[in-house]
Short mmCIF file of all heavy atoms in Angstrom, two decimals:
data_model
loop_
_atom_site.label_atom_id
_atom_site.label_comp_id
_atom_site.label_asym_id
_atom_site.label_seq_id
_atom_site.Cartn_x
_atom_site.Cartn_y
_atom_site.Cartn_z
N GLN A 49 -11.13 5.13 9.09
CA GLN A 49 -11.57 4.45 7.88
C GLN A 49 -12.95 3.82 8.07
O GLN A 49 -13.22 3.22 9.09
CB GLN A 49 -10.54 3.38 7.51
CG GLN A 49 -10.81 2.66 6.21
CD GLN A 49 -9.56 1.93 5.76
OE1 GLN A 49 -8.69 2.52 5.16
NE2 GLN A 49 -9.46 0.64 6.07
N THR A 50 -13.81 4.00 7.07
CA THR A 50 -15.15 3.42 7.13
C THR A 50 -15.22 2.19 6.23
O THR A 50 -14.31 1.93 5.44
CB THR A 50 -16.20 4.45 6.67
OG1 THR A 50 -15.92 4.86 5.33
CG2 THR A 50 -16.21 5.67 7.59
N VAL A 51 -16.32 1.47 6.33
CA VAL A 51 -16.51 0.29 5.51
C VAL A 51 -16.58 0.70 4.04
O VAL A 51 -17.05 1.80 3.71
CB VAL A 51 -17.81 -0.46 5.93
CG1 VAL A 51 -19.05 0.37 5.65
CG2 VAL A 51 -17.90 -1.82 5.27
N ASP A 52 -16.07 -0.15 3.16
CA ASP A 52 -16.20 0.10 1.73
C ASP A 52 -17.67 -0.11 1.37
O ASP A 52 -18.19 -1.22 1.45
CB ASP A 52 -15.30 -0.84 0.92
CG ASP A 52 -15.33 -0.52 -0.56
OD1 ASP A 52 -16.40 -0.72 -1.18
OD2 ASP A 52 -14.32 -0.05 -1.08
N THR A 53 -18.35 0.96 0.99
CA THR A 53 -19.80 0.89 0.78
C THR A 53 -20.17 0.05 -0.44
O THR A 53 -21.21 -0.61 -0.43
CB THR A 53 -20.40 2.30 0.64
OG1 THR A 53 -19.72 3.01 -0.40
CG2 THR A 53 -20.29 3.07 1.95
N ASP A 54 -19.32 0.03 -1.47
CA ASP A 54 -19.62 -0.80 -2.63
C ASP A 54 -19.54 -2.28 -2.26
O ASP A 54 -20.44 -3.06 -2.59
CB ASP A 54 -18.66 -0.49 -3.78
CG ASP A 54 -19.02 -1.25 -5.05
OD1 ASP A 54 -20.16 -1.06 -5.54
OD2 ASP A 54 -18.19 -2.04 -5.54
N LEU A 55 -18.49 -2.64 -1.54
CA LEU A 55 -18.36 -4.03 -1.09
C LEU A 55 -19.51 -4.41 -0.17
O LEU A 55 -20.13 -5.46 -0.32
CB LEU A 55 -17.02 -4.24 -0.38
CG LEU A 55 -16.74 -5.60 0.24
CD1 LEU A 55 -16.87 -6.72 -0.78
CD2 LEU A 55 -15.37 -5.61 0.88
N LYS A 56 -19.84 -3.52 0.77
CA LYS A 56 -20.93 -3.79 1.71
C LYS A 56 -22.25 -4.00 0.97
O LYS A 56 -23.03 -4.89 1.30
CB LYS A 56 -21.06 -2.63 2.69
CG LYS A 56 -22.18 -2.81 3.69
CD LYS A 56 -22.31 -1.57 4.56
CE LYS A 56 -23.66 -1.60 5.21
NZ LYS A 56 -24.12 -0.30 5.62
N SER A 57 -22.49 -3.21 -0.08
CA SER A 57 -23.75 -3.32 -0.81
C SER A 57 -23.86 -4.63 -1.58
O SER A 57 -24.96 -5.05 -1.94
CB SER A 57 -23.90 -2.14 -1.78
OG SER A 57 -23.02 -2.27 -2.89
N ARG A 58 -22.75 -5.29 -1.82
CA ARG A 58 -22.75 -6.53 -2.61
C ARG A 58 -22.75 -7.79 -1.76
O ARG A 58 -22.82 -8.90 -2.28
CB ARG A 58 -21.56 -6.54 -3.56
CG ARG A 58 -21.69 -5.42 -4.59
CD ARG A 58 -20.48 -5.31 -5.45
NE ARG A 58 -20.58 -4.15 -6.32
CZ ARG A 58 -21.29 -4.12 -7.45
NH1 ARG A 58 -21.95 -5.18 -7.85
NH2 ARG A 58 -21.34 -3.02 -8.18
N VAL A 59 -22.64 -7.63 -0.44
CA VAL A 59 -22.65 -8.78 0.47
C VAL A 59 -23.94 -8.74 1.27
O VAL A 59 -24.16 -7.82 2.06
CB VAL A 59 -21.42 -8.76 1.42
CG1 VAL A 59 -21.48 -9.93 2.38
CG2 VAL A 59 -20.14 -8.77 0.61
N ALA A 60 -24.81 -9.71 1.05
CA ALA A 60 -26.13 -9.71 1.69
C ALA A 60 -26.05 -9.91 3.19
O ALA A 60 -26.81 -9.30 3.95
CB ALA A 60 -27.01 -10.78 1.06
N ASP A 61 -25.15 -10.75 3.66
CA ASP A 61 -25.04 -11.07 5.08
C ASP A 61 -24.10 -10.06 5.76
O ASP A 61 -22.88 -10.11 5.57
CB ASP A 61 -24.51 -12.49 5.24
CG ASP A 61 -24.45 -12.96 6.68
OD1 ASP A 61 -24.58 -12.13 7.60
OD2 ASP A 61 -24.26 -14.18 6.88
N THR A 62 -24.65 -9.15 6.56
CA THR A 62 -23.85 -8.11 7.20
C THR A 62 -22.91 -8.65 8.27
O THR A 62 -22.02 -7.94 8.71
CB THR A 62 -24.74 -7.00 7.81
OG1 THR A 62 -25.63 -7.60 8.76
CG2 THR A 62 -25.51 -6.28 6.74
N SER A 63 -23.10 -9.92 8.69
CA SER A 63 -22.12 -10.50 9.62
C SER A 63 -20.84 -10.86 8.87
O SER A 63 -19.78 -10.96 9.48
CB SER A 63 -22.70 -11.74 10.31
OG SER A 63 -22.87 -12.80 9.39
N ILE A 64 -20.93 -11.03 7.57
CA ILE A 64 -19.74 -11.29 6.74
C ILE A 64 -19.05 -9.99 6.38
O ILE A 64 -17.84 -9.87 6.45
CB ILE A 64 -20.13 -12.08 5.47
CG1 ILE A 64 -20.64 -13.46 5.86
CG2 ILE A 64 -18.96 -12.18 4.51
CD1 ILE A 64 -21.20 -14.26 4.72
N TRP A 65 -19.83 -8.98 5.98
CA TRP A 65 -19.27 -7.67 5.66
C TRP A 65 -20.32 -6.60 5.90
O TRP A 65 -21.25 -6.46 5.14
CB TRP A 65 -18.78 -7.59 4.21
CG TRP A 65 -17.77 -6.51 4.06
CD1 TRP A 65 -18.00 -5.23 3.67
CD2 TRP A 65 -16.37 -6.60 4.33
NE1 TRP A 65 -16.83 -4.51 3.67
CE2 TRP A 65 -15.81 -5.33 4.08
CE3 TRP A 65 -15.54 -7.62 4.76
CZ2 TRP A 65 -14.45 -5.07 4.24
CZ3 TRP A 65 -14.20 -7.36 4.91
CH2 TRP A 65 -13.67 -6.09 4.66
N GLY A 66 -20.14 -5.88 7.01
CA GLY A 66 -21.10 -4.84 7.38
C GLY A 66 -20.39 -3.59 7.87
O GLY A 66 -19.19 -3.40 7.65
N ASN A 67 -21.12 -2.74 8.55
CA ASN A 67 -20.60 -1.44 8.99
C ASN A 67 -19.37 -1.56 9.89
O ASN A 67 -18.56 -0.64 9.96
CB ASN A 67 -21.68 -0.64 9.71
CG ASN A 67 -22.71 -0.11 8.74
OD1 ASN A 67 -22.40 0.15 7.59
ND2 ASN A 67 -23.94 0.05 9.20
N ASN A 68 -19.23 -2.66 10.62
CA ASN A 68 -18.10 -2.82 11.53
C ASN A 68 -16.84 -3.34 10.84
O ASN A 68 -15.80 -3.45 11.47
CB ASN A 68 -18.46 -3.74 12.69
CG ASN A 68 -19.48 -3.10 13.60
OD1 ASN A 68 -19.49 -1.88 13.77
ND2 ASN A 68 -20.35 -3.91 14.18
N HIS A 69 -16.94 -3.66 9.56
CA HIS A 69 -15.78 -4.18 8.82
C HIS A 69 -15.06 -3.02 8.13
O HIS A 69 -15.10 -2.87 6.92
CB HIS A 69 -16.24 -5.25 7.82
CG HIS A 69 -16.84 -6.42 8.50
ND1 HIS A 69 -18.21 -6.57 8.66
CD2 HIS A 69 -16.27 -7.48 9.11
CE1 HIS A 69 -18.44 -7.69 9.32
NE2 HIS A 69 -17.29 -8.26 9.60
N ARG A 70 -14.39 -2.22 8.94
CA ARG A 70 -13.76 -1.00 8.44
C ARG A 70 -12.28 -1.19 8.15
O ARG A 70 -11.68 -0.36 7.49
CB ARG A 70 -13.95 0.11 9.46
CG ARG A 70 -15.45 0.39 9.70
CD ARG A 70 -15.64 1.37 10.82
NE ARG A 70 -15.29 0.70 12.07
CZ ARG A 70 -15.81 1.01 13.24
NH1 ARG A 70 -16.66 1.99 13.34
NH2 ARG A 70 -15.46 0.36 14.32
N LEU A 71 -11.68 -2.22 8.71
CA LEU A 71 -10.26 -2.50 8.52
C LEU A 71 -9.39 -1.29 8.86
O LEU A 71 -8.43 -0.97 8.16
CB LEU A 71 -9.97 -3.00 7.11
CG LEU A 71 -10.67 -4.30 6.71
CD1 LEU A 71 -10.33 -4.68 5.29
CD2 LEU A 71 -10.31 -5.44 7.65
N ARG A 72 -9.72 -0.63 9.95
CA ARG A 72 -8.93 0.52 10.38
C ARG A 72 -7.51 0.07 10.68
O ARG A 72 -7.28 -0.96 11.29
CB ARG A 72 -9.56 1.16 11.62
CG ARG A 72 -10.87 1.83 11.27
CD ARG A 72 -11.54 2.42 12.47
NE ARG A 72 -12.74 3.13 12.05
CZ ARG A 72 -13.57 3.72 12.87
NH1 ARG A 72 -13.36 3.69 14.17
NH2 ARG A 72 -14.62 4.35 12.40
N GLY A 73 -6.55 0.84 10.21
CA GLY A 73 -5.15 0.49 10.40
C GLY A 73 -4.64 -0.50 9.37
O GLY A 73 -3.49 -0.91 9.41
N VAL A 74 -5.48 -0.90 8.41
CA VAL A 74 -5.09 -1.87 7.39
C VAL A 74 -5.31 -1.25 6.01
O VAL A 74 -6.42 -0.85 5.66
CB VAL A 74 -5.92 -3.17 7.50
CG1 VAL A 74 -5.57 -4.13 6.38
CG2 VAL A 74 -5.74 -3.81 8.86
N SER A 75 -4.24 -1.18 5.23
CA SER A 75 -4.36 -0.73 3.84
C SER A 75 -4.77 -1.91 2.98
O SER A 75 -4.25 -3.01 3.16
CB SER A 75 -3.03 -0.17 3.34
OG SER A 75 -2.66 0.96 4.07
N TYR A 76 -5.69 -1.66 2.06
CA TYR A 76 -6.09 -2.74 1.15
C TYR A 76 -6.72 -2.17 -0.10
O TYR A 76 -7.13 -1.01 -0.15
CB TYR A 76 -7.06 -3.72 1.84
CG TYR A 76 -8.45 -3.18 2.10
CD1 TYR A 76 -9.51 -3.48 1.24
CD2 TYR A 76 -8.73 -2.39 3.22
CE1 TYR A 76 -10.80 -3.01 1.50
CE2 TYR A 76 -10.01 -1.91 3.47
CZ TYR A 76 -11.03 -2.23 2.60
OH TYR A 76 -12.29 -1.76 2.85
N LEU A 77 -6.77 -3.01 -1.12
CA LEU A 77 -7.49 -2.70 -2.35
C LEU A 77 -8.71 -3.60 -2.42
O LEU A 77 -8.61 -4.81 -2.21
CB LEU A 77 -6.62 -2.98 -3.58
CG LEU A 77 -5.37 -2.15 -3.77
CD1 LEU A 77 -4.57 -2.66 -4.97
CD2 LEU A 77 -5.71 -0.68 -3.94
N TYR A 78 -9.86 -3.02 -2.68
CA TYR A 78 -11.05 -3.80 -3.00
C TYR A 78 -11.18 -3.74 -4.51
O TYR A 78 -11.31 -2.66 -5.09
CB TYR A 78 -12.28 -3.22 -2.29
CG TYR A 78 -13.60 -3.67 -2.89
CD1 TYR A 78 -13.90 -5.01 -3.05
CD2 TYR A 78 -14.55 -2.74 -3.31
CE1 TYR A 78 -15.10 -5.42 -3.60
CE2 TYR A 78 -15.75 -3.14 -3.86
CZ TYR A 78 -16.02 -4.48 -4.00
OH TYR A 78 -17.20 -4.89 -4.56
N ILE A 79 -11.11 -4.89 -5.15
CA ILE A 79 -11.13 -4.96 -6.61
C ILE A 79 -12.33 -5.80 -7.03
O ILE A 79 -12.50 -6.93 -6.57
CB ILE A 79 -9.83 -5.58 -7.15
CG1 ILE A 79 -8.62 -4.79 -6.62
CG2 ILE A 79 -9.85 -5.62 -8.67
CD1 ILE A 79 -7.30 -5.43 -6.92
N ARG A 80 -13.16 -5.23 -7.89
CA ARG A 80 -14.35 -5.93 -8.37
C ARG A 80 -14.25 -6.10 -9.89
O ARG A 80 -13.96 -5.16 -10.61
CB ARG A 80 -15.62 -5.14 -8.04
CG ARG A 80 -16.90 -5.89 -8.41
CD ARG A 80 -18.15 -5.15 -7.95
NE ARG A 80 -18.19 -3.77 -8.34
CZ ARG A 80 -18.57 -3.33 -9.54
NH1 ARG A 80 -18.93 -4.19 -10.46
NH2 ARG A 80 -18.60 -2.04 -9.80
N PHE A 81 -14.45 -7.33 -10.33
CA PHE A 81 -14.42 -7.66 -11.75
C PHE A 81 -15.83 -7.96 -12.21
O PHE A 81 -16.55 -8.72 -11.57
CB PHE A 81 -13.57 -8.91 -12.00
CG PHE A 81 -12.13 -8.78 -11.58
CD1 PHE A 81 -11.74 -9.07 -10.28
CD2 PHE A 81 -11.17 -8.37 -12.48
CE1 PHE A 81 -10.43 -8.96 -9.89
CE2 PHE A 81 -9.84 -8.26 -12.10
CZ PHE A 81 -9.47 -8.56 -10.80
N ASP A 82 -16.25 -7.39 -13.32
CA ASP A 82 -17.50 -7.78 -13.99
C ASP A 82 -17.08 -8.67 -15.15
O ASP A 82 -16.54 -8.21 -16.16
CB ASP A 82 -18.26 -6.55 -14.51
CG ASP A 82 -18.91 -5.77 -13.38
OD1 ASP A 82 -19.24 -6.38 -12.35
OD2 ASP A 82 -19.07 -4.56 -13.54
N TYR A 83 -17.33 -9.98 -14.99
CA TYR A 83 -16.79 -10.95 -15.93
C TYR A 83 -17.41 -10.82 -17.31
O TYR A 83 -18.62 -10.67 -17.48
CB TYR A 83 -16.99 -12.38 -15.41
CG TYR A 83 -16.43 -13.39 -16.37
CD1 TYR A 83 -15.05 -13.56 -16.48
CD2 TYR A 83 -17.25 -14.14 -17.19
CE1 TYR A 83 -14.50 -14.46 -17.37
CE2 TYR A 83 -16.72 -15.05 -18.10
CZ TYR A 83 -15.35 -15.19 -18.19
OH TYR A 83 -14.82 -16.08 -19.08
N ASP A 84 -16.54 -10.90 -18.31
CA ASP A 84 -16.93 -10.95 -19.71
C ASP A 84 -15.84 -11.77 -20.40
O ASP A 84 -14.66 -11.43 -20.33
CB ASP A 84 -17.01 -9.54 -20.30
CG ASP A 84 -17.47 -9.54 -21.74
OD1 ASP A 84 -16.79 -10.17 -22.59
OD2 ASP A 84 -18.50 -8.90 -22.03
N SER A 85 -16.24 -12.85 -21.07
CA SER A 85 -15.25 -13.76 -21.66
C SER A 85 -14.41 -13.11 -22.75
O SER A 85 -13.27 -13.53 -22.99
CB SER A 85 -15.93 -15.02 -22.21
OG SER A 85 -16.86 -14.67 -23.22
N THR A 86 -14.91 -12.08 -23.39
CA THR A 86 -14.10 -11.40 -24.41
C THR A 86 -13.10 -10.43 -23.78
O THR A 86 -12.03 -10.20 -24.33
CB THR A 86 -14.98 -10.65 -25.42
OG1 THR A 86 -15.77 -9.69 -24.73
CG2 THR A 86 -15.88 -11.59 -26.18
N VAL A 87 -13.44 -9.87 -22.62
CA VAL A 87 -12.53 -8.96 -21.92
C VAL A 87 -11.46 -9.75 -21.16
O VAL A 87 -10.31 -9.32 -21.08
CB VAL A 87 -13.32 -8.05 -20.95
CG1 VAL A 87 -12.38 -7.16 -20.14
CG2 VAL A 87 -14.32 -7.20 -21.71
N PHE A 88 -11.85 -10.90 -20.60
CA PHE A 88 -10.94 -11.73 -19.82
C PHE A 88 -10.78 -13.11 -20.47
O PHE A 88 -11.11 -14.13 -19.86
CB PHE A 88 -11.47 -11.89 -18.39
CG PHE A 88 -11.77 -10.61 -17.68
CD1 PHE A 88 -13.08 -10.24 -17.40
CD2 PHE A 88 -10.75 -9.76 -17.28
CE1 PHE A 88 -13.37 -9.06 -16.73
CE2 PHE A 88 -11.02 -8.57 -16.61
CZ PHE A 88 -12.33 -8.22 -16.34
N PRO A 89 -10.25 -13.18 -21.68
CA PRO A 89 -10.17 -14.48 -22.37
C PRO A 89 -9.23 -15.46 -21.68
O PRO A 89 -9.36 -16.67 -21.86
CB PRO A 89 -9.66 -14.12 -23.76
CG PRO A 89 -8.93 -12.83 -23.58
CD PRO A 89 -9.68 -12.12 -22.48
N ASN A 90 -8.28 -14.97 -20.89
CA ASN A 90 -7.32 -15.84 -20.19
C ASN A 90 -7.60 -15.93 -18.70
O ASN A 90 -6.72 -16.28 -17.93
CB ASN A 90 -5.89 -15.33 -20.43
CG ASN A 90 -5.54 -15.32 -21.89
OD1 ASN A 90 -5.80 -16.28 -22.60
ND2 ASN A 90 -4.97 -14.22 -22.37
N GLY A 91 -8.80 -15.57 -18.28
CA GLY A 91 -9.15 -15.60 -16.87
C GLY A 91 -8.88 -14.28 -16.18
O GLY A 91 -8.67 -13.25 -16.82
N VAL A 92 -8.86 -14.31 -14.86
CA VAL A 92 -8.67 -13.10 -14.06
C VAL A 92 -7.25 -12.57 -14.29
O VAL A 92 -6.28 -13.32 -14.18
CB VAL A 92 -8.88 -13.41 -12.56
CG1 VAL A 92 -8.60 -12.19 -11.71
CG2 VAL A 92 -10.31 -13.91 -12.32
N PRO A 93 -7.11 -11.28 -14.61
CA PRO A 93 -5.78 -10.73 -14.84
C PRO A 93 -5.00 -10.60 -13.54
O PRO A 93 -5.57 -10.52 -12.45
CB PRO A 93 -6.06 -9.36 -15.45
CG PRO A 93 -7.42 -9.00 -14.98
CD PRO A 93 -8.17 -10.29 -14.83
N GLU A 94 -3.68 -10.54 -13.66
CA GLU A 94 -2.82 -10.35 -12.49
C GLU A 94 -2.83 -8.87 -12.10
O GLU A 94 -2.57 -8.00 -12.93
CB GLU A 94 -1.41 -10.80 -12.81
CG GLU A 94 -0.45 -10.60 -11.64
CD GLU A 94 0.97 -10.95 -11.99
OE1 GLU A 94 1.55 -10.32 -12.89
OE2 GLU A 94 1.50 -11.87 -11.34
N ILE A 95 -3.12 -8.60 -10.83
CA ILE A 95 -3.12 -7.24 -10.30
C ILE A 95 -1.91 -7.11 -9.39
O ILE A 95 -1.71 -7.91 -8.47
CB ILE A 95 -4.39 -6.93 -9.50
CG1 ILE A 95 -5.66 -7.25 -10.30
CG2 ILE A 95 -4.38 -5.49 -9.00
CD1 ILE A 95 -5.91 -6.37 -11.48
N THR A 96 -1.07 -6.11 -9.63
CA THR A 96 0.06 -5.82 -8.77
C THR A 96 0.05 -4.32 -8.47
O THR A 96 -0.65 -3.55 -9.12
CB THR A 96 1.41 -6.21 -9.43
OG1 THR A 96 1.52 -5.53 -10.68
CG2 THR A 96 1.50 -7.71 -9.65
N ALA A 97 0.81 -3.92 -7.47
CA ALA A 97 0.82 -2.51 -7.08
C ALA A 97 2.20 -2.10 -6.59
O ALA A 97 2.93 -2.89 -5.99
CB ALA A 97 -0.21 -2.25 -5.99
N LEU A 98 2.53 -0.85 -6.87
CA LEU A 98 3.70 -0.21 -6.29
C LEU A 98 3.18 0.58 -5.11
O LEU A 98 2.33 1.46 -5.27
CB LEU A 98 4.37 0.73 -7.30
CG LEU A 98 5.54 1.56 -6.78
CD1 LEU A 98 6.68 0.66 -6.33
CD2 LEU A 98 6.00 2.53 -7.85
#
Side-chain angles (χ1 to χ4, degrees):
Q49 184 164 277
T50 60
V51 65
D52 185 292
T53 55
D54 185 59
L55 176 56
K56 180 185 162 203
S57 73
R58 295 174 186 281
V59 178
D61 184 346
T62 58
S63 68
I64 295 173
W65 202 266
N67 287 331
N68 292 328
H69 297 97
R70 300 173 289 208
L71 299 179
R72 291 178 176 177
V74 176
S75 297
Y76 71 99
L77 296 174
Y78 161 55
I79 304 171
R80 185 175 51 82
F81 300 87
D82 287 332
Y83 181 74
D84 183 301
S85 61
T86 59
V87 176
F88 306 110
N90 300 315
V92 177
E94 179 184 62
I95 307 292
T96 57
L98 175 63

